[in-house]
Amino acid sequence: MLVKTYGAVMQGVDALTVTIEASSTRGFGFTMVGLPDTAVKESYERIRSALKENGFEFPHKEVIANLAPADIRKEGAAFDLPLALCVLAVGETVPAEELGKYMIMGELSLDGAVKPVKGVLPMAIKAREQKFKGIIVPQENVREAAVVNNLEVYGVSHISEAVRHLDGSEPLAPVLIDTRTEFARTVSIHDLDFSDVKGQESAKRALEVACAGGHNVLMVGSPGSGKSMLAKRLPSILPSLSLHEALETTKVHSVAGKLKNGSTLMSERPFRSPHHTISPVALVGGGTNPMPGEISLAHNGILYLDELPEFGRQVLEVMRQPLEDHAISISRAKYSVEYPASFMLVASMNPCPCGYYTHPTRMCTCPPGTVQKYLNRISGPLLDRIDIQIEVAPVEFDDMTSNVEAEPSRDIRSRVEAARDIQRARFANYPGVHCNAQMNSKLIKRYAVPDAVGLKRLRDAIERMGMSARAYDRILKVARTIADLDSNENILEAHINEAISYRNLDRSSWGSTF
Protein backbone atom coordinates (compact mmCIF):
# COMPACT_ATOMS: atom_id res chain seq x y z
CA MET A 1 0.00 0.00 0.00
CA LEU A 2 1.31 3.46 -0.93
CA VAL A 3 0.16 6.69 0.76
CA LYS A 4 1.21 10.28 0.23
CA THR A 5 1.02 13.64 1.96
CA TYR A 6 3.02 16.84 1.59
CA GLY A 7 5.37 19.08 3.55
CA ALA A 8 7.95 21.72 2.73
CA VAL A 9 11.59 22.72 3.13
CA MET A 10 12.99 26.24 3.12
CA GLN A 11 15.07 27.65 0.28
CA GLY A 12 16.01 31.15 1.33
CA VAL A 13 12.75 32.73 2.47
CA ASP A 14 10.58 30.61 0.18
CA ALA A 15 9.23 27.08 0.63
CA LEU A 16 9.74 24.09 -1.66
CA THR A 17 7.08 21.37 -1.61
CA VAL A 18 8.23 17.97 -0.37
CA THR A 19 6.26 14.81 -1.15
CA ILE A 20 6.17 12.50 1.87
CA GLU A 21 5.24 8.99 0.86
CA ALA A 22 5.17 5.66 2.64
CA SER A 23 4.70 2.12 1.44
CA SER A 24 4.48 -1.22 3.25
CA THR A 25 5.74 -4.68 2.50
CA ARG A 26 5.89 -7.95 4.38
CA GLY A 27 8.19 -7.90 7.38
CA PHE A 28 8.77 -5.49 10.22
CA GLY A 29 10.83 -2.29 10.49
CA PHE A 30 11.08 1.32 9.40
CA THR A 31 13.36 2.73 6.71
CA MET A 32 13.61 6.35 5.63
CA VAL A 33 15.21 7.64 2.42
CA GLY A 34 15.30 11.01 0.65
CA LEU A 35 18.41 12.66 2.19
CA PRO A 36 17.09 13.19 5.75
CA ASP A 37 19.40 14.73 8.37
CA THR A 38 19.85 13.28 11.85
CA ALA A 39 16.86 15.13 13.32
CA VAL A 40 14.58 13.71 10.60
CA LYS A 41 15.96 10.20 11.03
CA GLU A 42 15.28 10.38 14.77
CA SER A 43 11.60 11.00 14.04
CA TYR A 44 11.04 7.21 14.08
CA GLU A 45 11.58 7.07 17.85
CA ARG A 46 9.29 10.05 18.47
CA ILE A 47 6.60 8.65 16.17
CA ARG A 48 6.67 5.20 17.75
CA SER A 49 6.37 6.64 21.27
CA ALA A 50 3.60 9.10 20.27
CA LEU A 51 1.52 6.34 18.65
CA LYS A 52 1.98 3.98 21.58
CA GLU A 53 1.04 6.63 24.17
CA ASN A 54 -2.21 7.40 22.33
CA GLY A 55 -3.39 3.87 21.67
CA PHE A 56 -2.43 3.74 17.99
CA GLU A 57 -0.73 0.64 16.72
CA PHE A 58 2.41 0.81 14.60
CA PRO A 59 1.75 -1.33 11.48
CA HIS A 60 3.08 -4.87 11.71
CA LYS A 61 4.78 -4.42 8.38
CA GLU A 62 7.99 -3.08 6.99
CA VAL A 63 7.40 0.62 6.28
CA ILE A 64 9.55 2.56 3.83
CA ALA A 65 9.23 6.35 3.91
CA ASN A 66 10.55 8.61 1.14
CA LEU A 67 11.00 12.38 1.13
CA ALA A 68 11.08 13.69 -2.43
CA PRO A 69 12.83 15.39 -4.16
CA ALA A 70 15.56 13.08 -2.91
CA ASP A 71 18.50 15.33 -3.86
CA ILE A 72 17.52 18.13 -1.44
CA ARG A 73 18.52 17.74 2.20
CA LYS A 74 15.61 17.59 4.69
CA GLU A 75 16.37 19.16 8.06
CA GLY A 76 14.68 19.48 11.45
CA ALA A 77 11.87 17.74 13.31
CA ALA A 78 9.01 19.38 11.41
CA PHE A 79 8.44 16.20 9.38
CA ASP A 80 7.36 14.22 12.47
CA LEU A 81 3.61 14.83 12.12
CA PRO A 82 3.24 14.08 8.37
CA LEU A 83 5.42 10.98 8.71
CA ALA A 84 3.36 9.75 11.66
CA LEU A 85 0.13 10.26 9.74
CA CYS A 86 1.57 8.41 6.75
CA VAL A 87 2.43 5.50 9.03
CA LEU A 88 -1.15 5.47 10.35
CA ALA A 89 -2.49 5.63 6.79
CA VAL A 90 -0.38 2.56 5.90
CA GLY A 91 -2.08 0.83 8.84
CA GLU A 92 -5.44 2.09 7.53
CA THR A 93 -6.15 4.15 10.66
CA VAL A 94 -6.21 7.36 8.56
CA PRO A 95 -7.86 7.49 5.10
CA ALA A 96 -5.10 7.86 2.52
CA GLU A 97 -7.22 9.90 0.09
CA GLU A 98 -7.82 12.61 2.71
CA LEU A 99 -4.16 12.70 3.72
CA GLY A 100 -3.08 13.62 0.19
CA LYS A 101 -5.19 16.80 0.14
CA TYR A 102 -3.13 18.64 2.77
CA MET A 103 0.29 20.11 3.42
CA ILE A 104 1.19 19.04 6.97
CA MET A 105 4.10 20.04 9.22
CA GLY A 106 4.74 19.72 12.95
CA GLU A 107 7.16 18.33 15.53
CA LEU A 108 5.98 15.56 17.86
CA SER A 109 6.65 15.06 21.55
CA LEU A 110 6.88 11.54 22.93
CA ASP A 111 3.32 11.87 24.25
CA GLY A 112 1.94 13.00 20.87
CA ALA A 113 1.79 16.74 21.56
CA VAL A 114 2.51 18.86 18.47
CA LYS A 115 5.21 21.52 18.91
CA PRO A 116 5.66 24.71 16.83
CA VAL A 117 8.02 24.81 13.85
CA LYS A 118 9.81 27.45 11.77
CA GLY A 119 8.83 28.82 8.38
CA VAL A 120 5.06 28.24 8.57
CA LEU A 121 4.15 31.42 6.67
CA PRO A 122 6.19 30.54 3.52
CA MET A 123 4.75 27.02 3.74
CA ALA A 124 1.20 28.36 3.77
CA ILE A 125 1.95 30.59 0.78
CA LYS A 126 3.32 27.59 -1.11
CA ALA A 127 0.26 25.48 -0.14
CA ARG A 128 -2.02 28.10 -1.65
CA GLU A 129 0.11 28.26 -4.82
CA GLN A 130 -0.06 24.47 -5.15
CA LYS A 131 -3.85 24.55 -4.61
CA PHE A 132 -3.94 22.19 -1.64
CA LYS A 133 -7.26 21.85 0.16
CA GLY A 134 -5.60 23.14 3.32
CA ILE A 135 -2.62 23.10 5.64
CA ILE A 136 -2.36 21.44 9.06
CA VAL A 137 0.15 23.08 11.42
CA PRO A 138 0.84 23.27 15.17
CA GLN A 139 -1.68 25.31 17.15
CA GLU A 140 0.99 27.86 18.11
CA ASN A 141 1.64 28.55 14.40
CA VAL A 142 -1.96 28.63 13.20
CA ARG A 143 -2.42 32.43 13.27
CA GLU A 144 0.83 32.86 11.35
CA ALA A 145 -0.42 30.55 8.59
CA ALA A 146 -3.94 32.02 8.64
CA VAL A 147 -2.50 35.29 7.32
CA VAL A 148 -2.67 33.62 3.88
CA ASN A 149 -6.13 34.11 2.41
CA ASN A 150 -8.05 31.55 0.30
CA LEU A 151 -6.52 28.61 2.18
CA GLU A 152 -8.06 26.42 4.87
CA VAL A 153 -5.74 26.51 7.87
CA TYR A 154 -6.11 24.00 10.72
CA GLY A 155 -4.22 24.09 14.00
CA VAL A 156 -3.60 20.97 16.06
CA SER A 157 -2.07 20.65 19.50
CA HIS A 158 -2.02 16.83 19.52
CA ILE A 159 -1.66 14.09 16.94
CA SER A 160 -5.04 12.64 17.91
CA GLU A 161 -6.74 15.88 16.77
CA ALA A 162 -5.18 15.49 13.31
CA VAL A 163 -6.27 11.86 13.14
CA ARG A 164 -9.88 12.65 14.11
CA HIS A 165 -9.99 15.48 11.57
CA LEU A 166 -8.75 13.27 8.75
CA ASP A 167 -10.99 10.31 9.53
CA GLY A 168 -14.00 12.64 9.80
CA SER A 169 -14.96 11.75 13.39
CA GLU A 170 -14.23 15.28 14.74
CA PRO A 171 -13.56 17.71 11.88
CA LEU A 172 -11.67 20.86 12.85
CA ALA A 173 -12.90 24.34 12.02
CA PRO A 174 -10.52 26.35 9.82
CA VAL A 175 -8.98 29.42 11.45
CA LEU A 176 -9.96 32.67 9.74
CA ILE A 177 -8.20 36.02 10.19
CA ASP A 178 -9.11 39.33 8.60
CA THR A 179 -5.52 40.16 7.75
CA ARG A 180 -6.03 43.75 6.68
CA THR A 181 -8.18 44.68 9.67
CA GLU A 182 -5.82 43.11 12.19
CA PHE A 183 -2.78 44.63 10.51
CA ALA A 184 -4.35 48.11 10.48
CA ARG A 185 -5.22 47.75 14.18
CA THR A 186 -1.65 47.12 15.28
CA VAL A 187 0.38 49.21 12.84
CA SER A 188 2.26 52.32 14.03
CA ILE A 189 2.21 51.44 17.72
CA HIS A 190 5.55 52.49 19.26
CA ASP A 191 6.71 52.47 22.86
CA LEU A 192 9.52 55.00 22.30
CA ASP A 193 8.87 58.53 21.06
CA PHE A 194 10.99 61.51 20.02
CA SER A 195 9.10 63.66 22.51
CA ASP A 196 11.33 62.02 25.16
CA VAL A 197 14.47 63.52 23.61
CA LYS A 198 15.53 66.82 25.15
CA GLY A 199 17.53 69.18 22.95
CA GLN A 200 19.55 67.63 20.10
CA GLU A 201 17.57 69.56 17.49
CA SER A 202 20.29 69.35 14.82
CA ALA A 203 20.67 65.59 15.31
CA LYS A 204 16.89 65.08 15.18
CA ARG A 205 16.74 67.08 11.96
CA ALA A 206 19.50 64.93 10.42
CA LEU A 207 17.65 61.73 11.39
CA GLU A 208 14.42 63.11 9.91
CA VAL A 209 16.26 63.70 6.62
CA ALA A 210 17.73 60.18 6.82
CA CYS A 211 14.33 58.55 7.31
CA ALA A 212 12.74 60.69 4.59
CA GLY A 213 15.25 59.48 1.99
CA GLY A 214 16.25 56.07 3.37
CA HIS A 215 19.83 57.26 3.95
CA ASN A 216 22.39 55.44 6.08
CA VAL A 217 23.56 57.41 9.12
CA LEU A 218 26.66 57.55 11.32
CA MET A 219 26.47 59.47 14.60
CA VAL A 220 29.72 60.51 16.29
CA GLY A 221 29.58 61.81 19.84
CA SER A 222 30.95 61.48 23.34
CA PRO A 223 29.51 58.95 25.83
CA GLY A 224 26.08 59.95 27.14
CA SER A 225 25.31 62.41 24.36
CA GLY A 226 22.17 60.48 23.36
CA LYS A 227 23.22 58.51 20.27
CA SER A 228 21.55 55.25 21.31
CA MET A 229 18.47 57.07 22.58
CA LEU A 230 18.01 58.75 19.21
CA ALA A 231 18.64 55.55 17.25
CA LYS A 232 16.10 53.50 19.20
CA ARG A 233 13.39 56.03 18.38
CA LEU A 234 13.97 55.96 14.64
CA PRO A 235 11.29 53.31 13.92
CA SER A 236 8.70 55.72 15.33
CA ILE A 237 9.34 58.26 12.53
CA LEU A 238 9.80 55.85 9.64
CA PRO A 239 6.78 55.40 7.33
CA SER A 240 4.44 52.66 8.50
CA LEU A 241 4.91 49.22 6.96
CA SER A 242 2.76 48.51 3.95
CA LEU A 243 0.94 45.17 3.85
CA HIS A 244 3.40 43.90 1.23
CA GLU A 245 6.42 44.98 3.31
CA ALA A 246 4.88 43.39 6.41
CA LEU A 247 4.47 40.08 4.56
CA GLU A 248 8.09 40.19 3.32
CA THR A 249 9.42 40.98 6.79
CA THR A 250 7.29 38.35 8.50
CA LYS A 251 8.50 35.67 6.08
CA VAL A 252 12.12 36.33 7.03
CA HIS A 253 11.38 36.20 10.75
CA SER A 254 9.24 33.09 10.28
CA VAL A 255 12.09 31.22 8.55
CA ALA A 256 14.47 32.31 11.33
CA GLY A 257 12.01 31.19 14.03
CA LYS A 258 11.86 34.69 15.53
CA LEU A 259 8.07 35.11 15.52
CA LYS A 260 6.25 34.87 18.84
CA ASN A 261 3.74 32.05 19.15
CA GLY A 262 0.27 33.20 18.20
CA SER A 263 1.49 36.19 16.17
CA THR A 264 0.31 37.15 12.70
CA LEU A 265 1.92 39.80 10.48
CA MET A 266 4.63 42.02 11.91
CA SER A 267 3.26 45.54 12.19
CA GLU A 268 6.42 47.41 13.27
CA ARG A 269 9.58 47.92 11.29
CA PRO A 270 12.32 45.70 12.72
CA PHE A 271 15.09 47.25 14.78
CA ARG A 272 18.11 44.97 15.11
CA SER A 273 21.05 45.88 17.34
CA PRO A 274 23.68 43.10 17.37
CA HIS A 275 26.62 43.14 19.79
CA HIS A 276 30.03 44.05 18.36
CA THR A 277 31.30 40.48 18.95
CA ILE A 278 28.97 39.15 16.23
CA SER A 279 30.52 36.89 13.56
CA PRO A 280 30.30 37.53 9.80
CA VAL A 281 27.99 34.52 9.35
CA ALA A 282 25.64 35.71 12.10
CA LEU A 283 25.50 39.13 10.44
CA VAL A 284 24.87 38.15 6.81
CA GLY A 285 23.42 34.66 7.24
CA GLY A 286 24.40 31.16 6.20
CA GLY A 287 25.82 28.41 8.40
CA THR A 288 25.63 24.62 8.22
CA ASN A 289 21.84 24.85 8.16
CA PRO A 290 21.40 28.17 6.30
CA MET A 291 19.49 30.82 8.22
CA PRO A 292 18.93 34.57 7.70
CA GLY A 293 21.44 36.86 9.40
CA GLU A 294 20.95 40.16 11.17
CA ILE A 295 20.95 42.18 7.95
CA SER A 296 18.00 40.11 6.67
CA LEU A 297 16.18 40.26 10.01
CA ALA A 298 16.50 44.05 9.64
CA HIS A 299 14.85 43.91 6.17
CA ASN A 300 12.48 46.90 5.72
CA GLY A 301 13.76 48.26 9.03
CA ILE A 302 16.89 49.42 10.82
CA LEU A 303 20.22 47.74 11.56
CA TYR A 304 21.84 49.64 14.43
CA LEU A 305 25.55 49.10 15.06
CA ASP A 306 26.58 50.73 18.33
CA GLU A 307 30.30 51.52 18.72
CA LEU A 308 31.01 50.83 15.06
CA PRO A 309 34.85 50.74 15.28
CA GLU A 310 34.63 47.91 17.83
CA PHE A 311 33.14 45.54 15.23
CA GLY A 312 35.60 43.26 13.48
CA ARG A 313 36.98 44.49 10.18
CA GLN A 314 35.74 41.43 8.31
CA VAL A 315 32.28 41.77 9.86
CA LEU A 316 31.95 45.33 8.57
CA GLU A 317 33.35 44.59 5.12
CA VAL A 318 30.79 41.84 4.38
CA MET A 319 28.07 44.51 4.53
CA ARG A 320 29.39 46.46 1.56
CA GLN A 321 27.65 44.43 -1.16
CA PRO A 322 24.27 44.10 0.65
CA LEU A 323 24.21 47.87 1.23
CA GLU A 324 24.34 48.36 -2.54
CA ASP A 325 22.23 45.42 -3.76
CA HIS A 326 19.67 45.24 -0.89
CA ALA A 327 20.01 41.44 -0.92
CA ILE A 328 22.59 38.89 0.12
CA SER A 329 23.49 35.81 -1.93
CA ILE A 330 25.20 33.06 0.05
CA SER A 331 26.90 30.31 -1.96
CA ARG A 332 28.52 27.28 -0.38
CA ALA A 333 29.57 23.90 -1.72
CA LYS A 334 26.24 22.28 -0.75
CA TYR A 335 23.77 25.12 -1.21
CA SER A 336 23.09 28.57 -2.61
CA VAL A 337 20.43 30.81 -1.08
CA GLU A 338 19.41 34.46 -1.32
CA TYR A 339 17.91 36.53 1.48
CA PRO A 340 16.46 40.05 1.21
CA ALA A 341 18.47 42.75 2.98
CA SER A 342 16.95 46.15 2.27
CA PHE A 343 17.73 47.91 5.52
CA MET A 344 18.72 51.35 6.75
CA LEU A 345 22.13 51.26 8.43
CA VAL A 346 22.37 53.42 11.55
CA ALA A 347 25.70 53.42 13.38
CA SER A 348 27.19 55.31 16.29
CA MET A 349 30.69 55.70 17.66
CA ASN A 350 32.79 57.69 20.06
CA PRO A 351 35.13 60.18 18.37
CA CYS A 352 38.17 58.53 19.98
CA PRO A 353 39.05 55.69 22.40
CA CYS A 354 38.64 57.88 25.50
CA GLY A 355 35.44 59.34 24.04
CA TYR A 356 36.04 63.04 24.60
CA TYR A 357 37.68 64.39 21.45
CA THR A 358 35.59 67.46 20.36
CA HIS A 359 33.85 67.50 23.78
CA PRO A 360 33.15 71.14 24.74
CA THR A 361 34.25 70.85 28.39
CA ARG A 362 36.30 67.66 28.88
CA MET A 363 39.86 67.12 27.72
CA CYS A 364 40.71 64.26 25.36
CA THR A 365 43.47 62.09 26.86
CA CYS A 366 44.33 60.13 23.71
CA PRO A 367 47.96 60.26 22.40
CA PRO A 368 48.71 62.02 19.08
CA GLY A 369 47.47 60.14 16.03
CA THR A 370 44.99 58.04 17.99
CA VAL A 371 41.86 59.78 16.73
CA GLN A 372 42.69 59.20 13.07
CA LYS A 373 43.78 55.64 13.80
CA TYR A 374 40.48 55.00 15.58
CA LEU A 375 38.51 56.40 12.64
CA ASN A 376 40.57 54.29 10.21
CA ARG A 377 39.05 51.15 11.71
CA ILE A 378 36.14 51.97 9.40
CA SER A 379 37.20 51.46 5.80
CA GLY A 380 36.75 54.15 3.18
CA PRO A 381 34.45 52.01 0.98
CA LEU A 382 32.10 51.38 3.92
CA LEU A 383 32.18 55.02 5.03
CA ASP A 384 31.38 55.95 1.44
CA ARG A 385 28.07 54.08 1.72
CA ILE A 386 26.97 56.18 4.70
CA ASP A 387 25.26 59.27 3.32
CA ILE A 388 24.88 61.23 6.55
CA GLN A 389 27.70 61.63 9.08
CA ILE A 390 26.93 63.92 12.00
CA GLU A 391 28.42 64.92 15.32
CA VAL A 392 26.11 64.61 18.32
CA ALA A 393 26.99 67.19 20.98
CA PRO A 394 26.30 66.67 24.70
CA VAL A 395 22.90 67.89 25.87
CA GLU A 396 22.93 71.31 27.55
CA PHE A 397 21.79 71.46 31.18
CA ASP A 398 19.01 73.92 30.33
CA ASP A 399 17.65 71.48 27.73
CA MET A 400 17.74 68.57 30.18
CA THR A 401 15.75 70.48 32.80
CA SER A 402 13.34 72.17 30.39
CA ASN A 403 9.62 71.49 30.87
CA VAL A 404 8.89 72.21 27.21
CA GLU A 405 7.78 69.01 25.51
CA ALA A 406 9.75 68.12 22.41
CA GLU A 407 8.11 67.49 19.04
CA PRO A 408 6.41 64.06 19.06
CA SER A 409 7.23 61.33 16.58
CA ARG A 410 3.85 61.47 14.85
CA ASP A 411 4.52 65.04 13.65
CA ILE A 412 7.95 64.14 12.32
CA ARG A 413 6.59 60.98 10.71
CA SER A 414 3.93 62.95 8.86
CA ARG A 415 6.66 65.02 7.15
CA VAL A 416 8.70 61.90 6.42
CA GLU A 417 5.71 60.15 4.84
CA ALA A 418 4.94 63.21 2.71
CA ALA A 419 8.51 63.18 1.37
CA ARG A 420 8.33 59.42 0.73
CA ASP A 421 5.08 59.91 -1.22
CA ILE A 422 6.90 62.36 -3.51
CA GLN A 423 9.71 59.85 -4.05
CA ARG A 424 7.29 56.97 -4.63
CA ALA A 425 5.64 58.94 -7.43
CA ARG A 426 8.99 60.03 -8.85
CA PHE A 427 10.39 56.51 -9.10
CA ALA A 428 7.17 54.73 -10.06
CA ASN A 429 8.66 53.67 -13.39
CA TYR A 430 11.97 52.47 -11.93
CA PRO A 431 11.65 48.95 -10.44
CA GLY A 432 13.68 48.46 -7.26
CA VAL A 433 14.04 52.20 -6.57
CA HIS A 434 11.77 53.43 -3.81
CA CYS A 435 13.64 56.31 -2.18
CA ASN A 436 16.37 58.84 -2.91
CA ALA A 437 19.11 56.77 -1.25
CA GLN A 438 18.66 54.11 -3.97
CA MET A 439 19.29 56.48 -6.88
CA ASN A 440 22.08 55.52 -9.26
CA SER A 441 24.24 57.99 -11.20
CA LYS A 442 21.75 58.19 -14.06
CA LEU A 443 18.87 59.08 -11.74
CA ILE A 444 21.01 61.59 -9.85
CA LYS A 445 21.76 63.42 -13.12
CA ARG A 446 18.04 63.51 -13.89
CA TYR A 447 16.46 64.30 -10.51
CA ALA A 448 19.19 65.77 -8.30
CA VAL A 449 20.61 68.66 -10.31
CA PRO A 450 21.21 71.81 -8.19
CA ASP A 451 20.82 75.33 -9.47
CA ALA A 452 23.88 77.35 -10.50
CA VAL A 453 24.37 78.88 -7.05
CA GLY A 454 24.06 75.50 -5.35
CA LEU A 455 26.50 73.91 -7.80
CA LYS A 456 29.05 76.64 -7.05
CA ARG A 457 28.61 76.07 -3.33
CA LEU A 458 29.16 72.35 -3.81
CA ARG A 459 32.33 72.99 -5.81
CA ASP A 460 33.65 75.21 -3.01
CA ALA A 461 32.91 72.53 -0.41
CA ILE A 462 34.80 69.85 -2.29
CA GLU A 463 37.79 72.02 -3.23
CA ARG A 464 38.21 74.29 -0.18
CA MET A 465 36.98 72.15 2.71
CA GLY A 466 38.96 69.08 1.75
CA MET A 467 35.96 66.85 1.01
CA SER A 468 36.56 63.82 -1.16
CA ALA A 469 35.12 63.48 -4.66
CA ARG A 470 33.15 60.44 -3.53
CA ALA A 471 31.03 62.77 -1.37
CA TYR A 472 29.59 64.44 -4.49
CA ASP A 473 26.80 61.93 -5.23
CA ARG A 474 26.00 61.50 -1.55
CA ILE A 475 25.52 65.22 -1.04
CA LEU A 476 23.23 65.45 -4.07
CA LYS A 477 21.09 62.53 -2.83
CA VAL A 478 20.69 64.08 0.60
CA ALA A 479 20.01 67.51 -0.92
CA ARG A 480 17.25 65.95 -3.05
CA THR A 481 15.66 64.57 0.12
CA ILE A 482 15.88 67.92 1.90
CA ALA A 483 14.18 69.56 -1.08
CA ASP A 484 11.45 66.89 -0.93
CA LEU A 485 10.88 67.69 2.75
CA ASP A 486 10.41 71.31 1.66
CA SER A 487 8.08 70.13 -1.15
CA ASN A 488 10.40 71.85 -3.60
CA GLU A 489 11.01 70.43 -7.05
CA ASN A 490 14.32 72.32 -7.36
CA ILE A 491 17.47 71.84 -5.27
CA LEU A 492 18.46 75.25 -3.91
CA GLU A 493 21.62 76.55 -2.25
CA ALA A 494 20.09 76.11 1.23
CA HIS A 495 19.49 72.43 0.51
CA ILE A 496 23.09 71.98 -0.66
CA ASN A 497 24.40 73.78 2.43
CA GLU A 498 22.46 71.52 4.78
CA ALA A 499 23.54 68.38 2.90
CA ILE A 500 27.19 69.48 3.12
CA SER A 501 26.85 69.90 6.88
CA TYR A 502 26.02 66.19 7.12
CA ARG A 503 29.42 65.11 5.77
CA ASN A 504 31.53 65.83 8.84
CA LEU A 505 33.93 62.90 8.48
CA ASP A 506 34.75 63.83 4.88
CA ARG A 507 36.55 66.95 6.07
CA SER A 508 40.31 66.42 5.82
CA SER A 509 40.77 68.40 9.05
CA TRP A 510 38.57 66.09 11.18
CA GLY A 511 40.78 64.29 13.68
CA SER A 512 44.01 65.38 11.98
CA THR A 513 45.30 67.30 15.00
CA PHE A 514 45.43 64.21 17.21
Side-chain angles (χ1 to χ4, degrees):
M1 181 178 184
L2 177 66
V3 297
K4 291 184 180 182
T5 189
Y6 300 89
V9 293
M10 293 298 106
Q11 289 195 326
V13 293
D14 296 314
L16 175 69
T17 302
V18 172
T19 302
I20 303 161
E21 51 190 6
S23 68
S24 60
T25 59
R26 295 180 61 182
F28 183 80
F30 184 85
T31 305
M32 188 184 305
V33 295
L35 209 58
D37 73 349
T38 303
V40 180
K41 290 177 181 178
E42 290 174 347
S43 65
Y44 170 66
E45 303 298 336
R46 292 189 293 271
I47 291 169
R48 188 174 66 172
S49 175
L51 297 186
K52 179 182 177 182
E53 290 295 323
N54 291 278
F56 299 117
E57 192 171 292
F58 201 96
H60 295 290
K61 305 174 182 178
E62 183 177 356
V63 179
I64 302 174
N66 179 45
L67 308 176
D71 60 340
I72 295 178
R73 190 166 183 80
K74 321 304 184 304
E75 300 167 344
F79 291 98
D80 289 359
L81 183 57
L83 282 168
L85 293 173
C86 278
V87 168
L88 290 175
V90 166
E92 299 183 0
T93 303
V94 172
E97 63 275 8
E98 282 297 311
L99 193 60
K101 297 177 182 178
Y102 295 91
M103 180 178 283
I104 306 172
M105 294 296 279
E107 178 183 346
L108 285 179
S109 296
L110 295 181
D111 63 355
V114 182
K115 294 184 175 181
V117 296
K118 300 176 182 177
V120 167
L121 179 56
M123 293 176 192
I125 294 172
K126 176 58 70 172
R128 183 178 64 181
E129 289 178 1
Q130 298 291 322
K131 300 187 184 304
F132 285 102
K133 177 182 178 181
I135 182 171
I136 299 175
V137 296
Q139 188 64 45
E140 288 88 342
N141 297 124
V142 69
R143 287 174 58 81
E144 178 186 338
V147 165
V148 181
N149 299 321
N150 303 318
L151 178 71
E152 294 181 5
V153 178
Y154 301 94
V156 294
S157 56
H158 200 274
I159 187 174
S160 58
E161 295 178 14
V163 172
R164 290 193 296 269
H165 173 73
L166 292 170
D167 67 17
S169 59
E170 291 185 27
L172 297 170
V175 176
L176 301 175
I177 291 178
D178 188 336
T179 305
R180 294 184 180 275
T181 301
E182 184 150 332
F183 176 70
R185 180 175 57 83
T186 57
V187 77
S188 300
I189 298 176
H190 301 282
D191 296 328
L192 302 176
D193 197 277
F194 265 82
S195 60
D196 304 327
V197 182
K198 301 290 186 180
Q200 301 292 15
E201 297 304 323
S202 61
K204 286 192 283 189
R205 168 63 179 178
L207 294 179
E208 178 184 338
V209 172
C211 290
H215 303 287
N216 300 322
V217 186
L218 173 61
M219 295 181 283
V220 185
S222 56
S225 58
K227 303 185 295 294
S228 297
M229 185 180 187
L230 288 163
K232 289 176 181 178
R233 283 156 177 76
L234 278 174
S236 67
I237 65 172
L238 281 169
S240 301
L241 279 172
S242 66
L243 195 58
H244 176 71
E245 287 176 327
L247 185 62
E248 280 187 336
T249 307
T250 306
K251 280 176 64 177
V252 177
H253 285 250
S254 174
V255 171
K258 300 294 184 181
L259 290 181
K260 296 178 181 179
N261 291 340
S263 62
T264 54
L265 284 180
M266 294 179 64
S267 57
E268 293 186 28
R269 291 188 180 273
F271 181 90
R272 305 295 298 183
S273 181
H275 192 260
H276 64 260
T277 56
I278 189 172
S279 68
V281 172
L283 185 68
V284 300
T288 305
N289 300 328
M291 295 292 288
E294 288 292 330
I295 63 172
S296 295
L297 293 172
H299 181 60
N300 290 324
I302 291 172
L303 178 68
Y304 176 49
L305 303 183
D306 194 12
E307 298 304 330
L308 188 64
E310 302 302 327
F311 284 79
R313 181 87 172 196
Q314 185 182 1
V315 173
L316 296 180
E317 294 308 299
V318 296
M319 286 196 302
R320 286 161 54 177
Q321 179 262 340
L323 283 170
E324 292 292 329
D325 297 344
H326 309 291
I328 175 71
S329 296
I330 302 169
S331 298
R332 300 291 184 268
K334 294 184 178 180
Y335 66 83
S336 178
V337 296
E338 181 172 305
Y339 296 115
S342 181
F343 61 93
M344 180 175 157
L345 175 63
V346 180
S348 64
M349 60 178 285
N350 292 329
C352 64
C354 81
Y356 295 105
Y357 176 63
T358 71
H359 195 280
T361 58
R362 296 190 62 170
M363 181 71 70
C364 175
T365 59
C366 296
T370 304
V371 175
Q372 193 61 47
K373 184 178 179 181
Y374 189 68
L375 182 61
N376 287 343
R377 292 186 185 181
I378 309 169
S379 70
L382 179 61
L383 200 60
D384 184 34
R385 288 162 170 80
I386 301 177
D387 298 348
I388 296 179
Q389 308 154 6
I390 58 170
E391 291 184 62
V392 181
V395 182
E396 299 288 343
F397 182 79
D398 290 342
D399 290 329
M400 285 190 287
T401 57
S402 173
N403 293 323
V404 178
E405 186 172 342
E407 186 178 26
S409 292
R410 64 176 180 274
D411 294 345
I412 303 174
R413 186 172 63 246
S414 64
R415 297 194 294 269
V416 169
E417 289 178 338
R420 285 289 185 104
D421 289 341
I422 294 172
Q423 294 165 49
R424 197 174 295 113
R426 175 184 298 136
F427 304 125
N429 297 323
Y430 299 96
V433 181
H434 308 289
C435 56
N436 290 331
Q438 298 172 344
M439 285 193 294
N440 55 29
S441 298
K442 181 179 179 181
L443 293 177
I444 290 173
K445 291 178 181 178
R446 180 169 183 175
Y447 295 113
V449 180
D451 60 14
V453 178
L455 188 61
K456 183 178 183 301
R457 178 70 183 92
L458 183 54
R459 179 191 295 273
D460 291 341
I462 291 176
E463 295 180 352
R464 298 183 184 181
M465 298 173 65
M467 288 187 175
S468 64
R470 72 186 180 216
Y472 177 78
D473 283 356
R474 306 290 169 177
I475 291 174
L476 288 179
K477 287 182 182 181
V478 174
R480 177 66 272 166
T481 300
I482 297 169
D484 290 340
L485 283 169
D486 286 347
S487 300
N488 200 322
E489 184 64 28
N490 300 314
I491 297 178
L492 307 178
E493 182 184 10
H495 304 144
I496 293 291
N497 286 336
E498 185 176 351
I500 291 171
S501 72
Y502 297 146
R503 298 295 299 184
N504 286 354
L505 299 189
D506 275 337
R507 292 187 171 92
S508 58
S509 61
W510 202 95
S512 61
T513 57
F514 280 80

